Amino acid sequence: MNHSEDLLKRLPNDIGGQAAGRIEQTDHALSPWEKRCHALADVLDYHKIINTEEKRRGVEALGAEMMNSLTYYERWIAAFSVILFQKQILVPDELARKMAEVEARFAEGLRRGD
Amino acid sequence: MATHDHHHEHEHAHPKAPDEAPPGYYEIMEIAVRELLVEKKLIEPDEIRRQIEVLDSRTPALGAKVVARAWVDPAFRARLLDNGRAACEELGISIYDDTQLVVLENTDKVHNLIVCTLCSCYPRAVLGLPPDWYKAKAYRARAVKEPRAVLQEFGTHIPDDVEVRVSDSTAMVRYLVLPQRPAGAEDLTEEQLAALVTRDAMIGVVRVQNPGTDRP
């Protein structure tokens, strides 16, 4: 099987059976935002806005390069954003404006020392 | 999170202590997505906090309780193997998502191992969130191809005459391994048995050890 056929037959998440190195028996306690992101995934599922399989496919649709560059929960929130755009629940500009607002709010909070 | 059960002197709720660094790009994205969904009334402001409480309440101690009950109560064990979800609910453990729970029993002839090759599906309602190695490539890639070698890396040797069965989880179907009760644990109470059962034994990468006999 040549390289392009291999890419077509194995999407980025489909790694069962591939060769891989030693299992590093690592773990870490989730940071507060990672835990909120996990809770957001559950709440989106409860409300039938994004289910588990849509989330998994959304992460895969980020592509191999992004999947390898982002951490686990970074991939989730990036995938949620894209899926919410696709479902026309959010528009990109609206998210960009809200992110700028959140960033400014934190900068202001830090400046005032609260 | 801007909930009303916190008291803030300023108009904006602020989750960071003053000496902490500002949030990174993806944390800002998480906050922004959440706030937009609340503004659009698609989720309630308090739901994320309440779900975090649910997540925090789920640890491998719940799975251990289920395993210990199955060891001491054959009728419960039969119900657990028949319908994992209903049996857990009998013990007051709600399966908070829309998933099936299939319980896989280890015997003298069969050793079970669970994995999610595509992502990180895991019996979260009874074990809490998975460890990082369960979500990482090496375990997901190799568990289905060379499970005995994987088990060996966890210090678990499975004799050749014992079949190793690997079950690959999905969004809808989650697995939990019912480990074998260790030898020499006949006199222990249900609570003492539960204390022997570890997360990794319920994933299937190790056996349950009895410290009284296995580790002199």
Side-chain angles (χ1 to χ4, degrees), chain A residues 19-85:
Chain A
R22 253 191 89 77
I23 294 155
E24 300 297 335
Q25 289 174 38
T26 51
D27 201 9
H28 82 288
L30 298 191
S31 66
W33 90 265
E34 289 177 317
K35 199 177 268 187
R36 293 199 304 271
C37 190
H38 199 112
L40 178 64
D42 290 336
V43 169
L44 288 168
D45 186 38
Y46 295 158
H47 286 283
K48 303 193 186 305
I49 298 171
I50 299 175
N51 69 29
T52 305
E53 178 56 16
E54 287 174 313
K55 177 186 71 191
R56 188 197 69 72
R57 280 194 286 128
V59 167
E60 190 160 62
L62 296 173
E65 187 180 358
M66 223 187 300
M67 280 181 62
N68 288 330
S69 308
L70 272 56
T71 65
Y72 186 78
Y73 287 104
E74 289 173 355
R75 298 195 285 260
W76 280 26
I77 193 63
F80 294 157
S81 300
V82 174
I83 296 166
L84 292 168
F85 299 155

Side-chain angles (χ1 to χ4, degrees), chain A residues 12-30 32-33 35-49 52-53 55-56 60 66-67 70 72-78 80-81 84 89-91 94-96 98-103 105-110 112-114, chain B residues 1 10-23 25-37 39-40 42-44 47-49 51-52 54-56 96-98 117-121 124 129-142 144-146 150 153-155 171 174 199-200:
Chain A
N13 279 352
D14 188 12
I15 62 171
Q18 289 185 347
R22 253 191 89 77
I23 294 155
E24 300 297 335
Q25 289 174 38
T26 51
D27 201 9
H28 82 288
L30 298 191
W33 90 265
K35 199 177 268 187
R36 293 199 304 271
C37 190
H38 199 112
L40 178 64
D42 290 336
V43 169
L44 288 168
D45 186 38
Y46 295 158
H47 286 283
K48 303 193 186 305
I49 298 171
T52 305
E53 178 56 16
K55 177 186 71 191
R56 188 197 69 72
E60 190 160 62
M66 223 187 300
M67 280 181 62
L70 272 56
Y72 186 78
Y73 287 104
E74 289 173 355
R75 298 195 285 260
W76 280 26
I77 193 63
F80 294 157
S81 300
L84 292 168
I89 290 170
L90 299 182
V91 292
E94 175 182 39
L95 179 61
K98 179 57 98 176
M99 285 178 69
E101 178 197 314
V102 170
E103 192 171 11
R105 206 164 78 203
F106 275 93
E108 174 70 5
L110 287 175
R112 294 197 308 207
D114 59 344
Chain B
M1 218 184 344
H10 304 293
E11 55 187 305
H12 293 302
H14 197 301
K16 293 267 174 185
D19 56 348
E20 278 184 83
Y25 179 78
Y26 295 96
E27 179 171 355
I28 289 172
M29 189 181 290
E30 175 270 325
I31 296 167
V33 167
R34 171 164 43 84
E35 291 186 0
L36 285 169
L37 292 171
E39 283 171 21
K40 292 172 189 293
L42 292 167
I43 65 174
E44 298 288 325
E47 277 186 283
I48 302 295
R49 188 192 60 75
Q51 182 59 25
I52 287 172
V54 172
L55 294 174
D56 284 345
Y96 58 82
D97 51 17
D98 189 21
T117 60
L118 285 179
C119 43
S120 50
C121 295
R124 296 193 278 128
L129 301 183
D132 286 346
W133 58 260
Y134 183 89
K135 307 189 282 190
K137 179 176 178 180
Y139 182 74
R140 290 166 48 204
R142 293 177 52 212
V144 286
K145 178 94 167 185
E146 41 175 2
V150 165
E153 284 183 30
F154 284 87
R174 309 297 169 88
R199 174 196 72 194
D200 290 356

